[in-house]
Amino acid sequence: MSALDLVIAAAVALLAGGVNSIAGGGSLILFPTLVALGLGTVAANVTNSVAQWPGYLGGVAGFRAEYAGQRRRLLRLGAVAVLGGTTGSVLLLTTPSEAFDVVVPVLVLLASSLLAVQPLLNRRLRRTQRDDADVRDPRWLYVALFLATVYGGYFGGALGVILVGVLGLALNRLPLANALKSAISAVTATVTVVIFGLFGDVHWGVVTVAAPASLLGGFLGARIATRIPATALRILIVAFGVAVSVYLFARA
């Protein structure tokens, strides 16, 4: 990549980090940008995953208070996330890139759709949430969480929306679901960073400029999140994601 390409990648990563803090869906901006800059879809996906990893750690730090008394649950759910993230990452690296080219337009469209319905899902979860701290984990939660983190390891766009939905329905506590979502996303992202870093076609030049930009964007986004209408931003991201999906369908 040229120096101009790297500047563009850093600028978009900064924007993606901020978008993740405000409305979610930053991958739907950075991933297609990397494809447009010349990376193959698989290389763009693994580079995007590695570059956005620091932002997940910031999310965990922001929910420290919510993790009180959740150590055993975090260990259980984290173990499932390690298995799921590993499975998805290995699946991405061991299947033909042509298969990912066929699947990725569907995944982008799915991620865009999930982002579009996120407010409706959150409202439903708020109506059903409970305040008791000793809600038992239903058995289906672990199956659903494994499948969600397989998706996270394979592609990951809008993974947070999926996790909030699964955890919210299982635990009926939206604040806790949001906190656990950040921790599980961080675990899944860490797994992908290790596997993609060792075996994936990561463009490290992009990561060098995009990772700190994503971290800075996440920090700045958190500071201004209350001043920006998240609904309008979400509409723009969803529209952009649908357009990218259509382009990738035509390209495949």
Side-chain angles (χ1 to χ4, degrees), residues 7 16 18 29 41 52 60 71 84 155 165 169 175 192 208 212 248:
V7 170
I29 300 174
T41 51
Q52 294 204 55
V60 172
R71 183 174 180 274
F155 179 64
L169 291 173
T192 63
T208 300
L248 292 174

Side-chain angles (χ1 to χ4, degrees), residues 98-121:
E98 292 80 6
F100 184 75
D101 289 340
V102 172
V103 173
V104 71
V106 179
L107 296 178
V108 172
L109 186 60
L110 172 63
S112 302
S113 301
L114 289 170
L115 194 61
V117 302
Q118 183 184 30
L120 298 176
L121 177 62

Side-chain angles (χ1 to χ4, degrees), residues 35-54:
V35 173
L37 290 175
L39 295 186
T41 51
V42 174
N45 187 37
V46 299
T47 302
N48 175 50
S49 297
V50 175
Q52 294 204 55
W53 173 69

